[in-house]
Amino acid sequence: MIYIKSQEDIILIKKAANIWKQVREILTPMVKPGVNLLTLDEKTNETVTQFGGTCSFYQYQGFPKHLCISVNDELIHGIPRDYVIKANDLITFDLGITYENHICDAAFTIHVSPTNKEPARISNATKTALMEAIKIIKPGNYIGDISNTIENVAKKYGYQVIKDFGGHGCGNHIHEDPIILNYGEPHTGQKIVSGMTLCIEPMLMTGNDKYFIDEANHWTVKSKNQKLTCQWEHMVLVTKDGCEILTGET
């Protein structure tokens, strides 16, 4: 179901987004070689609680941690584990914040102590796909326009998009319609209207789009060829003449 947000909804979703941005600012300088992913999960929960929110993903359909941390060939749904960060790791942090029953969901990626250019390249391509897609979000355009833009940017940089996962509506629930795939035809799908809150999340893969779900935890989506993957995600509010990035830079 698609939820067109009321002014009260928007106020509370923005408060959740502000908590998300503060968590990002606190986590980012902590992401360096020698730090354990479990430390970052604990810090996230502590910080979100401090700001009056809760971690939306915790125990959602059984997810055991407070945020998703996906490393290198882990594309999405990485479960924080006893892993120590290394130089050149490419790490995506996907975090949902619930504040007074309203939700913000977004993800950012960090290339740790970079010396290798390839992690930076796929991260830049993914973020570029995200920002180019956001540029065309306005009433009267279509969800397919978003999908097609992401696919075209991925192809331009020589990467593949995963076919079975994508963005979505969010705000009153973690996952709402419409589904926003990372490939598709322009001028197709749901028409975009003012009051939608959408999570746009390009997911790029190197070489091909083949993946598997880790049998050890039944959550983490990993590339079959063990090559680099990347995800970036912003949550946006569709306005009368465009959109507002709710999880933009502070």
Side-chain angles (χ1 to χ4, degrees):
M1 179 175 177
I2 295 174
Y3 293 84
I4 303 303
K5 306 308 188 295
S6 67
Q7 284 305 307
E8 181 181 3
D9 289 330
I10 291 168
I11 288 168
L12 293 173
I13 291 167
K14 286 186 174 183
K15 287 183 177 180
N18 284 335
I19 295 173
W20 187 94
K21 289 189 284 188
Q22 290 178 85
V23 174
R24 179 185 58 195
E25 293 304 307
I26 289 169
L27 280 185
T28 296
M30 295 179 63
V31 182
K32 54 189 176 183
V35 174
N36 196 298
L37 298 187
L38 293 175
T39 300
L40 299 175
D41 181 74
E42 292 166 4
K43 184 64 175 179
T44 297
N45 183 44
E46 173 189 316
T47 305
V48 172
T49 301
Q50 174 187 339
F51 287 124
T54 57
C55 296
S56 308
F57 300 163
Y58 182 65
Q59 294 304 319
Y60 176 70
Q61 297 184 354
F63 190 79
K65 294 295 182 179
H66 299 95
L67 79 166
C68 300
I69 307 180
S70 303
V71 183
N72 297 328
D73 64 335
E74 299 174 343
L75 178 60
I76 53 173
H77 304 162
I79 297 177
R81 63 194 189 280
D82 186 14
Y83 174 84
V84 175
I85 295 172
K86 301 174 179 61
N88 279 310
D89 277 345
L90 190 66
I91 306 179
T92 296
F93 298 85
D94 190 352
L95 173 62
I97 301 290
T98 301
Y99 180 83
E100 295 190 12
N101 297 316
H102 289 74
I103 297 164
C104 169
D105 175 17
F108 62 99
T109 293
I110 295 176
H111 182 195
V112 182
S113 299
T115 58
N116 185 338
K117 293 182 179 179
E118 187 52 38
R121 186 174 186 278
I122 190 171
S123 181
N124 178 62
T126 309
K127 191 172 185 181
T128 298
L130 171 64
M131 301 312 296
E132 289 300 310
I134 288 173
K135 287 179 183 178
I136 56 91
I137 298 176
K138 63 180 180 179
N141 285 347
Y142 293 84
I143 295 300
D145 299 329
I146 300 172
S147 303
N148 183 256
T149 299
I150 292 170
E151 181 181 22
N152 286 340
V153 173
K155 286 180 178 179
K156 175 183 174 182
Y157 281 85
Y159 295 107
Q160 301 289 320
V161 296
I162 195 167
K163 300 294 196 301
D164 296 334
F165 300 89
H168 52 91
C170 184
N172 293 7
H173 304 275
I174 293 180
H175 293 110
E176 302 170 356
D177 291 330
I179 301 300
I180 308 168
L181 297 175
N182 290 318
Y183 69 101
E185 297 298 323
H187 315 303
T188 62
Q190 176 69 41
K191 184 175 283 191
I192 298 169
V193 300
S194 179
M196 286 179 165
T197 45
L198 305 174
C199 293
I200 313 302
E201 44 184 317
M203 305 168 190
L204 270 56
M205 305 181 71
T206 304
N208 60 56
D209 64 353
K210 306 301 181 184
Y211 72 91
F212 67 98
I213 296 176
D214 192 339
E215 292 183 357
N217 63 38
H218 306 290
W219 275 100
T220 307
V221 176
K222 305 178 70 173
S223 60
K224 275 193 174 180
N225 61 15
Q226 299 183 313
K227 293 186 178 180
L228 284 173
T229 65
C230 189
Q231 174 203 18
W232 277 87
E233 177 183 9
H234 272 314
M235 187 175 186
V236 304
L237 166 67
V238 182
T239 61
K240 64 180 181 179
D241 54 4
C243 72
E244 176 184 354
I245 302 176
L246 302 181
T247 48
E249 301 302 321
T250 54

